[in-house]
Amino acid sequence: MTLEGFLLLAAALFCVGLFGALSQQSIVMLMMGLELMINGIVVAGAAFWFWVSPGRADGQVLVLVAITVMALEMAMGFAVVTALFRARDVDMTDDAGDLRG
Amino acid sequence: MEAVAFWVLAVAAVGAGIAVFVVDSMARATFALLASFLCVGGELLLIDLHYLGVLIVLMMIMEMLVMAVFMVMYMMNPAGLMPMTMLHNRRGALAVSGAAFAALAAGVFTVPWPRRAGRPPRDPTVALGEAIMGPKMLVMMVIGVAILATMIATVVLAAHRGRYDGGDGTR
């Protein structure tokens, strides 16, 4: 186990998520891509804590914030999808390209 | 031994992450994402982050089960009975993400990372608890307010009446 190995894993997870966020048509699938990207940030934060500054808790706090952001992103995303589905009967990004009041 | 566990979990995490966008069923995609999160939780356990690793495992099991329910609610073909594709700009997305991975991997191996300062505490969970209840309390307060704001916002957004409805149910 090395810092480079963990960072490589984080980069791979982030880029797989980036592919999903860019390529998926469904908003729910797009959110899965965003979750994978945050997953990569969690791995990188934990690796920096362990290999760079384990004496301070900063890296752990960053991981805690990233996990919270992950949960909030999912909750807000589903609420927006629900509102969008009610208003327009769509759940695809291509049909929701504009915001109408 | 730990290095073997790390690489097995790492390959499994990335493989499950790729599977999310390859499988033809929403339920399978959700559980592939869950597998990726569980592997990352295992990776955190390997570097002594027991609390955060278990937190990810427990939280993601619940989160993905909720996501599976939403998948079945909103998406076509939740069980994979009919093949489907829901991609747009696949080639562009592959190029962008591939270039991003190449740049990040190059950075990982060329940046001279700082030397390790300090040693891991005997109990990292205690260190985290003392940090967020002491010098990092502002982070905890912001997280708390953000969770409360999200709870209110999600209910307002998802409620049938919406934001501006007068209450008679018609818009």
Side-chain angles (χ1 to χ4, degrees):
Chain A
M1 289 196 303
T2 59
L3 174 63
E4 283 82 5
F6 263 81
L7 291 182
L8 203 62
L9 167 64
L13 286 172
F14 186 86
C15 292
V16 171
L18 183 65
F19 167 75
L22 289 176
S23 69
Q24 294 296 316
Q25 277 189 312
S26 161
I27 298 172
V28 183
M29 290 296 284
L30 186 152
M31 281 162 52
M32 287 181 145
L34 293 178
E35 298 248 317
L36 268 176
M37 291 169 78
I38 303 174
N39 203 15
I41 293 168
V42 165
V43 173
F48 276 119
W49 171 79
F50 190 72
W51 273 286
V52 175
S53 180
R56 297 163 58 99
D58 301 25
Q60 284 201 74
V61 174
L62 178 69
V63 172
L64 196 66
V65 171
I67 295 172
T68 311
V69 167
M70 214 185 254
L72 300 191
E73 177 255 324
M74 197 199 74
M76 283 306 294
F78 280 135
V80 169
V81 175
T82 305
L84 196 62
F85 198 74
R86 279 228 173 90
R88 299 207 205 158
D89 211 18
V90 296
D91 71 332
M92 307 293 262
T93 52
D94 294 352
D95 300 328
D98 60 304
L99 291 172
R100 194 177 58 189
Chain B
M1 185 63 195
E2 284 188 342
V4 174
F6 165 74
W7 285 110
V8 169
L9 286 173
V11 170
V14 177
I18 293 172
V20 170
F21 305 113
V22 173
V23 293
D24 60 355
S25 141
M26 293 305 104
R28 282 179 208 144
T30 311
F31 287 108
L33 189 62
L34 175 59
S36 180
F37 283 129
L38 294 186
C39 292
V40 167
E43 298 280 18
L44 262 58
L45 293 180
L46 285 177
I47 52 173
D48 297 341
L49 291 176
H50 298 139
Y51 167 69
L52 291 174
V54 172
L55 180 68
I56 286 181
V57 169
L58 294 178
M59 213 168 104
M60 288 308 143
I61 288 175
M62 285 313 297
E63 196 172 317
M64 288 307 121
L65 291 180
V66 172
M67 193 174 248
V69 172
F70 273 86
M71 285 282 191
V72 175
M73 278 166 61
Y74 285 127
M75 302 191 56
M76 66 278 226
N77 194 29
L81 299 175
M82 292 181 304
M84 60 174 187
T85 174
M86 292 190 308
L87 297 171
H88 57 179
N89 195 18
R90 182 192 179 96
R91 212 174 275 176
L94 263 178
V96 169
S97 51
F101 179 71
L104 288 173
V108 165
F109 289 108
T110 53
V111 170
W113 299 111
R115 292 175 66 85
R116 194 180 206 190
R119 291 173 53 189
R122 180 180 292 205
D123 190 346
T125 310
V126 172
L128 174 64
E130 285 176 345
I132 57 176
M133 286 297 131
K136 305 258 187 291
M137 188 177 262
L138 183 61
V139 176
M140 202 59 204
M141 290 165 69
V142 171
I143 287 177
V145 172
I147 291 174
L148 177 65
T150 304
M151 286 160 65
I152 296 170
T154 48
V155 171
V156 170
L157 270 174
H160 189 57
R161 282 165 48 179
R163 285 182 300 169
Y164 305 118
D165 198 353
D168 58 356
T170 57
R171 295 192 65 119

